[in-house]
Amino acid sequence: SARARRWLAPEWSALADRAAALPFAAGAGETHCAALQLEAGDWQAAQAAVATIESWRRIPQPLAWMAQARWRGGNPDSAWPLLVELAWIAPARFAALAPRLDDAALARLLRAFESDEAVFDDAGSWAWFPAWALAEQPLLAGPMAGAEPARQDEPERGWQLVNALLRVERRAEHAERVRLRAELQRLHEGLYATYMKPRR
């Protein structure tokens, strides 16, 4: 409960202070000071702790910590690029984190994705969530824009294609739109159907 979290917050903060000098170790991540600061609800301190981890943006656990700290700290727009990257490199970790962000709009989007049988069929499908969410809600193009290339695999390519399509639509570039739509359809029929749904 919220009351219990408030009561325990000073204890978590004290643990975080004691763990501050410990380096990040993948096998013992939950004892890192960033994880303890998240338990304490100190979002700024958690972000500062993650920032001390070398290459944190390419390691699933600290990437998830930073996304959570930014989102819960009141800055979802800066968290969205990190969630996109997390879905690409660690779909299961993304699926575990996203519902814990306590955001009603995001929760509805997650449920809608899970119910779309043309795209979602197993836990690995979460890698396609960023592309699907962008096709479903084009206004996410702005918040997601800062996502950095990760694996250059099909889910990432799908996201890039939807982004490109949204841009050429605004510029009314018919020939390029036709080409990109055909590429998206070849890549993933279900994602293409989601993109085309409001355009038919």
Side-chain angles (χ1 to χ4, degrees), residues 37-115:
Q37 294 289 12
L38 288 174
E39 293 290 351
D42 191 337
W43 316 121
Q44 292 300 319
Q47 291 178 59
V50 174
T52 67
I53 300 171
E54 187 176 357
S55 302
W56 63 265
R57 198 159 178 167
R58 289 294 173 258
I59 307 170
Q61 193 162 40
L63 177 61
W65 289 338
M66 186 66 91
Q68 181 179 355
R70 288 185 181 180
W71 193 289
R72 298 297 301 277
N75 196 357
D77 282 1
S78 73
W80 262 115
L82 307 184
L83 289 176
V84 169
E85 294 165 27
L86 185 64
W88 289 337
I89 69 174
R93 193 177 289 275
F94 167 85
L97 171 64
R100 299 204 311 269
L101 297 177
D102 294 332
D103 184 279
L106 177 59
R108 287 193 295 272
L109 203 56
L110 296 170
R111 288 193 299 270
F113 178 71
E114 284 186 292
S115 69

Side-chain angles (χ1 to χ4, degrees), residues 115-153:
S115 69
D116 189 340
E117 295 179 356
V119 182
F120 185 88
D121 57 10
D122 59 31
S125 300
W126 286 105
W128 289 95
F129 177 78
W132 179 92
L134 185 58
E136 185 73 16
Q137 294 191 6
L139 289 177
L140 286 174
M144 287 183 172
E148 296 180 356
R151 294 181 172 174
Q152 298 291 350
D153 56 8

Side-chain angles (χ1 to χ4, degrees), residues 2 6 12 26 32 39 42 60 72 82 87 98 106-107 113 124 126 146 155 158 161 163 165 184 192:
R6 286 195 299 271
W12 287 115
H32 189 270
E39 293 290 351
D42 191 337
R72 298 297 301 277
L82 307 184
L106 177 59
F113 178 71
W126 286 105
L161 283 169
N163 257 310
L165 277 162
L184 182 63
Y192 173 76

